[in-house]
Amino acid sequence: MSDSHYDVAIAGGGLVGLSLAALLGKADFRVALVEAREPQLDWPKGSVDLRVYAISRASERLLRDAGAWPAIEPYACAYRDMRVWDAGGRGDIHFDSAELGEPGLGYIIESRIIEKALLESVAQCPSIERFCPASIAAFGEADDYRRIELEDGRALSAALLVGADGKHSRVRDQAGIHTQVSNYGQQALVAVVSCERDHQDTAWQRFLPTGPLAFLPLRDGRCSIVWSATTDEAQRLLGLDDEAFCEALGEAFDYRLGRIVEVGERVLFPLVRQHAERSVAARLALVGDASHVIHPLAGQGVNLGFKDVRELVDVLETARRQRRDIGSLAVLRRYERARKGDNMATMLAMDGFKHLFGSRVPPLRWARNAGLDLFDAATPLKRLIMRAAMGL
Ligand SMILES: Cc1cc2nc3c(=O)[nH]c(=O)nc-3n(C[C@H](O)[C@H](O)[C@H](O)COP(=O)(O)OP(=O)(O)OC[C@H]3O[C@@H](n4cnc5c(N)ncnc54)[C@H](O)[C@@H]3O)c2cc1C
């Protein structure tokens, strides 16, 4: 065993790895957090991160438990309503938090704000050691620990290695865990825009035949847009000058918030669905995008990762209380079993939505219009789905 021995070594300090480290650190686990990229801690006033997330109420609770919420809340835009409608017809759904007696559906927050707040929580935990910038180069298995080598030559050991290293997880690949990948043939165009009308603290989504278009309300009155489109269409939209883009966007959005008056930098993200065939092995577990990547249409990706974190921390705390080995496969399988159903169901639901709303076939178009109206009127079902989306 090396001098630097930990209970848990985490590869990847994105939002999922950071939140896992913070919760484990608070529970007095000895944690090594290895992150390749230096975080962005300062930014020009008035600028907005292009990575903006819809954070569910359950994720808010997790961020509170991690000690990060007080630093996030002043920058979070609480949204109370969500409006979803279809370009191919008249169906319309209105999700209103008041229907559930809840003050809001969730929050729209820049990724870098959450990252900075979680970094502060991590820095306050003496049982966490952070290695950054550093990358895991290789790892091996001994009887009761994992040996881990960093690219700069340092060595660590841990009872459990967690891969929180994102979509291209090296931990997953080196452990020989296969992934199933399907390419949606779509890219998401992301940008921050100013609209003629107030966003009304509402998240808006219109389903177009080429893919969904979301407007997420920001605290400063602007909106963050995620426009999923076929690769050719996304490239075309990226290539338009600002004026032509604003016009195309306003039209695609039915001018629900009036004209688009300004657009900032535009960036494309390729969209894939990917899931690892297993999320555990001996002394190894995967969380977040390392385990599953889904379509961003319902803004659930990082929320699913936070649910993985909550479950893994619960499983490890229980194992420690019962004096069991936290890296044993029997313990880790409890985590895998607990998360599998929810992760698969969310992934399939996103695919179902994408295919239903992407279809130009007349019976499907009729069914989705009728379905949206029926769904909007079916209060108990709507409430159930709202509670699920809020992670409650
Ligand atoms: C356009 C778009 C919009 C989205 N909108 C939403 C939304 O509204 N709501 C939502 O919940 N989700 C959303 N998502 C999904 C969300 O971005 C991801 O689910 C989330 O970022 C995954 O977090 P993660 O920490 O698992 O992985 P990542 O954010 O990818 O973090 C992985 C980290 O690991 C580090 N790393 C990689 N390899 C190594 C190594 N070998 N050693 C050390 N470190 C390493 C990387 O530097 C990185 O910091 C969206 C995604 C897209 C593409």
Side-chain angles (χ1 to χ4, degrees), residues 294 300 304 307 341-351:
I294 62 170
Q300 287 300 318
L304 274 191
K307 284 182 169 180
D342 185 38
N343 284 335
M344 280 308 284
T346 310
M347 219 175 272
L348 294 174
M350 295 308 106
D351 275 16

Side-chain angles (χ1 to χ4, degrees), residues 48 51-56 69 72-82 105-111 113-114 199 201-204 215-220 222-225 299:
V48 177
R51 289 166 70 116
V52 167
Y53 296 141
I55 293 296
S56 70
W69 190 251
I72 295 172
E73 194 170 18
Y75 304 97
C77 179
Y79 65 102
R80 297 184 307 265
D81 292 283
M82 186 165 167
L105 293 175
Y107 299 87
I108 307 297
I109 315 169
E110 292 169 58
S111 178
I113 300 274
I114 309 175
H199 55 47
D201 296 333
T202 298
W204 309 79
F215 273 54
L216 306 175
L218 295 173
R219 182 107 177 189
D220 70 0
R222 289 183 280 180
C223 289
S224 164
I225 63 148

Side-chain angles (χ1 to χ4, degrees), residues 191-202:
V192 174
V193 301
S194 305
C195 307
E196 207 173 15
R197 290 195 216 123
D198 181 52
H199 55 47
Q200 302 151 48
D201 296 333
T202 298

Side-chain angles (χ1 to χ4, degrees), residues 11-17 34-37 51-54 134-136 164-167 170 188 190 216 226 269 271 287-290 296 299-303:
L15 300 192
V16 174
V34 184
E35 167 56 44
R37 173 185 53 89
R51 289 166 70 116
V52 167
Y53 296 141
S135 264
I136 293 195
D165 48 349
K167 185 161 88 170
R170 193 188 275 185
V190 175
L216 306 175
V226 183
F269 290 91
L271 297 182
V287 289
D289 276 20
Q300 287 300 318
V302 86
N303 292 301

